């Protein structure tokens, strides 16, 4: 109804009126926000929380506090923020690309996959592994958390790309090609050495064919623009950006330009907007701060190995560094600037949320998933309809998954 009213008004005024200009500052009651939010299937495409699963003493069942231990996702906060689920990420840091490095990446990927499956199995009353769009809707209706699995950086497949079939069998449904460095499959957007393959490598192109055949959503986040272009061209199914922000709001190699957002939308894809501060606003380089943070992380070792006492000691030292070398922090308004811009460029049928929780995402005013209804509130205030909000929170993602399933079906016969 709102859409019709808007277009009639626009015609009457003889001008084009955006949802933003027409409805900004709309009054919405807390009850309306909760109703719109809770009636949506709320999914996030990039949950880096599996890094916490093996943290000694840390349980997804306990309510943590972001200030207390820096975590952003657990079952109590998912319920509070109405987060029905999303993609638990198998993230692998890009190591050396020789035999030993490939073997380490292979083992890391499989270990993370096992940890995700163990978390779901140990909490079967509250979480369920999901492999199809239809499953996601069925499981959400039971009140369990919809648990998809994705991979960020395909390096665990470098030694043997045929592992992708096993991963798929064990639940993987989304595949991101690179992380912050180039790998054997393609170029990253942020490798200091520049492009190695000018997009996808021959091995990367073969991986795209295999992902289509198996029924995996291809994810171009972190990959170079050339990889994005080639994925869009080669994939027989729509692709996504699982956690990416807009160049037009802050020009950064990790973000994407409006022309590419339009191309993604034209092919049925979805961009899930990232809440990673360093990609939302310009944070000046602070070499002393970076050196101090690097020394600190060396001192405390891998995050997943830190117990509660170590976490507290780390946070205390970290706060001292923040005080000594302060930098600007991205805010909820900065996040909304990117999200609202991308909505205008792509249209609400091609936008979703992938805030990089537990992977560096979160902004002042939206520190963890308990705060997610703020996004819904703001979208309602901007004049987006409940149908738009349902599409943004999960409908668009499931549409992509259904398209991926439809492409895979005849190829697998
Ligand atoms: Zn990432």
């Amino acid at each position: 109804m709102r859409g019709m009213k808007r277009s009639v008004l626009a015609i009457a005024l003889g001008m084009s009126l955006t949802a933003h200009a027409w409805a900004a500052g709309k009054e919405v009651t807390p009850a309306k926000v909760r109703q719109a939010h809770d009636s949506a299937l709320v999914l996030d495409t990039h949950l880096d929380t599996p890094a916490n699963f093996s943290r000694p003493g840390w349980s997804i069942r306990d309510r943590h506090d972001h200030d207390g231990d820096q975590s952003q996702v657990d079952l109590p906060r998912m319920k509070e923020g109405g987060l029905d689920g999303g993609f638990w990420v198998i993230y692998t840091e890009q190591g050396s690309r020789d035999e030993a490095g490939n073997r380490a990446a292979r083992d890391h990927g499989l270990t993370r996959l096992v940890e995700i499956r163990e978390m779901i199995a140990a909490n079967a009353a509250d979480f369920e592994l999901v492999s199809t769009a239809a499953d996601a809707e069925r499981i959400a209706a039971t009140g369990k958390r919809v648990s998809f699995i994705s991979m960020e950086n395909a390096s665990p497949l470098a030694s043997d790309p045929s592992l992708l079939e096993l991963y798929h069998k064990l639940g993987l449904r989304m595949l991101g090609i690179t992380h912050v460095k180039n790998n054997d499959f393609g170029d990253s957007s942020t490798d200091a050495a520049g492009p190695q393959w000018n997009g996808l490598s021959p091995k990367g192109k073969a991986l795209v064919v295999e992902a289509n055949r198996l029924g995996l959503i291809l994810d171009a986040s972190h990959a170079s623009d050339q990889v994005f272009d080639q994925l869009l061209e080669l994939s027989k199914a729509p692709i996504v950006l699982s956690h990416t922000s807009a160049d037009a709001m802050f020009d950064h190699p990790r973000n994407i330009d409006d022309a590419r957002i339009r191309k993604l939308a034209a092919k049925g894809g979805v961009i899930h907007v990232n809440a990673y501060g360093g990609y939302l606003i310009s944070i000046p380089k602070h070499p002393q701060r970076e050196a101090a943070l690097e020394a600190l992380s060396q001192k405390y070792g891998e995050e997943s190995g830190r117990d509660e006492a170590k976490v507290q000691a780390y946070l205390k030292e970290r706060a001292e560094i923040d005080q000594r070398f302060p930098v600007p922090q991205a805010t909820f308004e900065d996040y909304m600037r990117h999200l609202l811009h991308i909505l205008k460029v792509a249209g609400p049928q091609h936008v979703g949320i992938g805030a990089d929780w537990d992977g560096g995402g979160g902004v002042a005013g939206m520190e963890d998933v308990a705060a997610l209804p703020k996004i819904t509130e703001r979208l309602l205030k901007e004049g987006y309809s409940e149908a738009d909000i349902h599409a943004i929170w999960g409908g668009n993602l499931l549409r992509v998954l259904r398209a991926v399933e439809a492409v895979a079906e005849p190829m697998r016969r």
Side-chain angles (χ1 to χ4, degrees):
M1 200 180 79
R2 178 187 60 80
M4 210 173 89
K5 256 202 324 216
R6 193 173 9 128
S7 55
V8 168
L9 194 69
I11 292 162
L13 296 174
M15 58 189 282
S16 101
L17 226 46
T18 65
H20 181 266
W22 179 69
K26 234 180 146 194
E27 283 299 317
V28 288
T29 63
K32 171 69 189 162
V33 172
R34 205 67 232 193
Q35 185 269 326
H37 193 73
D38 289 346
S39 61
L41 175 57
V42 176
L43 301 173
D44 182 290
T45 36
H46 202 78
L47 303 169
D48 270 316
T49 315
N52 289 335
F53 292 170
S54 60
R55 220 156 118 172
W58 195 93
S59 165
I60 193 102
R61 310 197 62 80
D62 297 337
R63 199 207 190 277
H64 307 82
D65 180 66
H66 181 248
D67 289 338
D69 76 348
Q70 285 204 310
S71 75
Q72 298 175 305
V73 182
D74 50 42
L75 181 61
R77 281 182 290 177
M78 289 176 89
K79 288 182 177 171
E80 236 174 278
L83 179 59
D84 295 304
F87 279 83
W88 302 113
V89 182
I90 299 170
Y91 158 68
T92 307
E93 187 179 351
Q94 184 62 51
S96 65
R97 284 163 57 189
D98 51 18
E99 212 186 310
N102 287 346
R103 202 160 47 226
R106 179 199 65 189
D107 293 355
H108 175 86
L110 289 169
T111 305
R112 227 355 99 76
L113 172 68
V114 169
E115 285 168 354
I116 295 169
R117 291 182 55 102
E118 280 177 343
M119 185 286 284
I120 296 166
N123 297 284
D126 295 299
F127 293 86
E128 192 165 328
L129 183 63
V130 174
S131 51
T132 65
D135 262 3
E137 282 160 343
R138 179 180 58 76
I139 288 161
T142 68
K144 288 190 199 179
R145 301 299 118 175
V146 172
S147 298
F148 285 109
I149 303 175
S150 64
M151 183 181 277
E152 176 177 41
N153 189 2
S155 68
L157 310 171
S159 63
D160 179 3
S162 80
L163 276 171
L164 190 61
E165 186 157 13
L166 175 69
Y167 271 102
H168 176 266
K169 231 176 245 169
L170 294 173
L172 191 75
R173 286 299 179 273
M174 187 186 287
L175 175 64
I177 307 297
T178 71
H179 191 236
V180 296
K181 287 183 187 162
N182 302 335
N183 66 18
D184 288 6
F185 299 102
D187 295 330
S188 169
S189 59
T190 49
D191 196 313
Q196 178 188 351
W197 307 103
N198 293 317
L200 291 160
S201 70
K203 230 166 127 177
K205 288 178 180 164
L207 203 64
V208 171
V209 174
E210 185 64 353
N212 280 166
R213 183 185 75 83
L214 292 167
L216 288 149
I217 301 173
L218 286 157
D219 172 14
S221 282
H222 282 290
S224 71
D225 286 346
Q226 281 172 302
V227 169
F228 173 91
D229 294 342
Q230 290 168 15
L231 285 176
L232 211 54
E233 196 188 310
L234 291 174
S235 175
K236 292 188 160 60
I239 69 167
V240 301
L241 291 154
S242 69
H243 59 307
T244 291
S245 306
D247 268 340
M249 296 293 104
F250 174 48
D251 196 1
H252 189 288
R254 182 60 183 81
N255 292 343
I256 192 148
D257 58 80
D258 289 354
R260 285 191 170 85
I261 293 174
R262 286 190 196 98
K263 276 197 219 162
L264 175 77
K267 289 224 166 177
V270 181
I271 167 169
H272 298 84
V273 182
N274 197 354
Y276 188 100
Y279 306 146
L280 295 175
I281 59 167
S282 170
I283 299 176
K285 282 222 173 300
H286 197 317
Q288 281 170 296
R289 176 186 164 89
E290 274 155 35
L293 287 174
E294 179 56 30
L296 188 67
S297 82
Q298 292 294 332
K299 181 175 167 187
Y300 285 93
E302 252 209 80
E303 250 175 87
S304 56
R306 293 177 199 161
D307 62 14
E308 189 55 27
K310 238 180 169 181
V311 167
Q312 292 313 322
Y314 167 86
L315 286 176
K316 199 167 159 265
E317 288 197 49
R318 164 98 208 219
E320 283 161 15
I321 293 172
D322 283 340
Q323 225 171 24
R324 243 185 19 231
F325 311 116
V327 288
Q329 298 287 315
T331 64
F332 180 67
E333 273 314 302
D334 295 319
Y335 182 64
M336 288 308 306
R337 231 166 15 91
H338 282 260
L339 176 55
L340 293 171
H341 172 79
I342 291 169
L343 274 164
K344 257 195 274 175
V345 174
Q349 301 302 307
H350 301 282
V351 180
I353 308 291
D356 215 347
W357 297 116
D358 290 319
V363 287
M366 185 177 75
E367 281 90 357
D368 61 18
V369 296
L372 291 181
K374 284 183 78 167
I375 297 176
T376 298
E377 179 187 18
R378 186 58 188 280
L379 292 175
L380 286 169
K381 280 186 178 162
E382 293 289 333
Y384 285 97
S385 70
E386 207 170 299
D388 292 338
I389 287 166
H390 288 188
I392 292 162
W393 274 121
N396 296 334
L397 175 64
L398 293 191
R399 183 193 68 233
V400 169
L401 183 54
R402 283 199 164 91
V404 167
E405 290 165 6
V407 163
E409 217 268 320
M411 286 176 83
R412 298 191 72 190
R413 268 187 215 140

